Amino acid sequence: MKKEKMSFFKKMFLVLTDFRSYPFLIKYEKFYKSFLYLIELVLLVSIILTVNVCEKINNAIVEIIENYDKVIPEFELADGVLDVKSLYNQEIDDNSYLAVDTNYTYEEYKKTNEYSKLVIYDSVILVNKDKITIENLGYPLEGIPTFKEIEMNTDKNGLYEIIKEAYSNTKYKTQAIFSIFVSVYFSYFIATFIKILFLALIISFICLPMGVMLNFKNYTKIAIYAYTLPLIIDVIATCLVGFGKDYTYYTTLALTYVYIIYAIRAIRLDAFIMMFSQNVKSKNTPTGFEEELKKYNELINGDSNKTDSKQDEDKKE
């Protein structure tokens, strides 16, 4: 494989379909480019998730508008405090839930048993006495003002007009979509990055008996590329069947370790081919594969650390 600039999608295709690309990427790819690949990968899956979440929220709002008198109980909003005359809970669909309880603030409601039962839903709309909260995959959507910040007094009839106006306003929709995307991206990136670091640690232990001794940056590279397919499958499964399904977890977990094992095997095979080729050219007697593997480890770690300075010198020349 020649050293060349690769687009994000070409690189993704290679790490998904060709384990021989792993030794090349580990040896010649700068770490910051691998990290940039992770950023772009999370960006891609965040866009997919945002579209899915927005569609669910849109469907929920449409249903509320169409069945307003049935789904919205009598209430009064005054001085930043919401008072709903009765508790109201409804499953919007298999993955979405609406809970109305104005006996508590949002923070107080999170400590109740009723709230703990909502973990099975991907999207949850919570209406409490201090604010309305939209949670996606357990994370609250940022940017929704509290009732005190709104500084508005209204009732059931007044809210209906407000919802209709906001739903037909393109500016409000755009702001809501952007807020959802930002929330999804950062929450997903943090969670994914923590998984990558954990996988890199696991890879370092797996490499020990296989004689592949790399530095932690290279273990992290392997983790980033090996986690590509499991992450994509996890997001697609979340969109189709919901978040937190056991079979999705075990499937992505198995795929992750399959890719890790085959990536390490590819690196080990690359070491054998490289050292065998050098011995043939120099007509040296092989000193044993384990000894040659140690040399390869030193070479690959050295190349990885020196890649930046070498490429900078080439540019100057």
Side-chain angles (χ1 to χ4, degrees), residues 16-287:
L16 290 177
T17 61
D18 191 353
F19 289 106
R20 294 174 300 175
S21 64
Y22 282 77
F24 171 82
L25 292 170
I26 301 306
K27 283 193 290 186
Y28 301 119
E29 187 84 334
K30 293 181 182 180
F31 179 77
Y32 87 85
K33 287 187 177 180
S34 298
F35 189 74
L36 180 61
Y37 171 83
L38 176 63
I39 292 174
E40 292 173 328
L41 180 62
V42 176
L43 179 65
L44 175 64
V45 298
S46 297
I47 291 172
I48 296 172
L49 275 176
T50 299
V51 171
N52 181 257
V53 171
C54 289
E55 182 183 9
K56 290 178 180 178
I57 293 175
N58 181 74
N59 293 338
I61 294 175
V62 169
E63 184 172 344
I64 289 174
I65 292 175
E66 292 178 349
N67 303 280
Y68 188 80
D69 289 331
K70 296 179 181 179
V71 300
I72 301 298
E74 293 291 338
F75 73 90
E76 182 180 2
L77 175 62
D79 300 323
V81 178
L82 177 65
D83 178 26
V84 178
K85 306 307 178 183
S86 60
L87 299 180
Y88 185 81
N89 299 281
Q90 180 179 344
E91 184 178 75
I92 300 172
D93 55 40
D94 292 340
N95 299 313
S96 306
Y97 198 87
L98 170 65
V100 179
D101 190 341
T102 56
N103 292 320
Y104 305 96
T105 64
Y106 171 65
E107 294 299 329
E108 292 171 345
Y109 186 74
K110 287 170 65 176
K111 300 175 183 178
T112 65
N113 292 331
E114 287 76 11
Y115 177 81
S116 63
K117 297 174 184 177
L118 303 179
V119 69
I120 62 174
Y121 297 96
D122 295 344
S123 300
V124 178
I125 302 174
L126 301 174
V127 181
N128 302 113
K129 69 180 181 180
D130 61 332
K131 63 178 179 177
I132 296 175
T133 307
I134 299 175
E135 291 188 349
N136 177 55
L137 305 178
Y139 295 95
L141 177 64
E142 301 295 334
I144 300 177
T146 63
F147 294 136
K148 279 189 176 180
E149 293 172 337
I150 294 175
E151 298 181 349
M152 177 181 64
N153 298 330
T154 187
D155 55 14
K156 180 177 179 177
N157 294 330
L159 178 64
Y160 179 74
E161 298 301 325
I162 293 172
I163 293 175
K164 283 185 65 178
E165 181 182 352
Y167 183 72
S168 60
N169 191 305
T170 304
K171 180 181 177 180
Y172 289 157
K173 283 185 177 181
T174 303
Q175 291 175 343
I177 291 171
F178 180 75
S179 298
I180 291 171
F181 169 75
V182 171
S183 178
V184 169
Y185 179 78
F186 282 103
S187 60
Y188 225 80
F189 181 81
I190 293 171
T192 302
F193 187 65
I194 292 173
K195 287 181 183 178
I196 292 298
L197 293 179
F198 177 74
L199 286 174
L201 183 62
I202 296 298
I203 291 169
S204 67
F205 289 111
I206 295 175
C207 284
L208 284 175
M210 301 181 74
V212 180
M213 306 295 292
L214 308 177
N215 56 40
F216 194 76
K217 285 200 300 185
N218 285 325
Y219 292 139
T220 305
K221 287 183 187 179
I222 296 173
I224 289 172
Y225 296 125
Y227 193 59
T228 298
L229 182 60
L231 179 60
I232 293 172
I233 289 178
D234 180 59
V235 170
I236 293 174
T238 298
C239 294
L240 295 178
V241 299
F243 178 76
K245 305 298 181 182
D246 288 342
Y247 50 83
T248 301
Y249 170 76
Y250 289 115
T251 300
T252 55
L253 182 66
L255 276 173
T256 300
Y257 287 104
V258 166
Y259 267 81
I260 287 172
I261 295 298
Y262 275 91
I264 296 171
R265 286 184 61 186
I267 293 171
R268 187 179 171 89
L269 179 60
D270 182 64
F272 175 80
I273 294 172
M274 182 177 175
M275 295 306 173
F276 181 78
S277 175
Q278 287 181 356
N279 284 325
V280 170
K281 289 179 180 179
S282 60
K283 298 182 180 180
N284 291 333
T285 303
T287 57

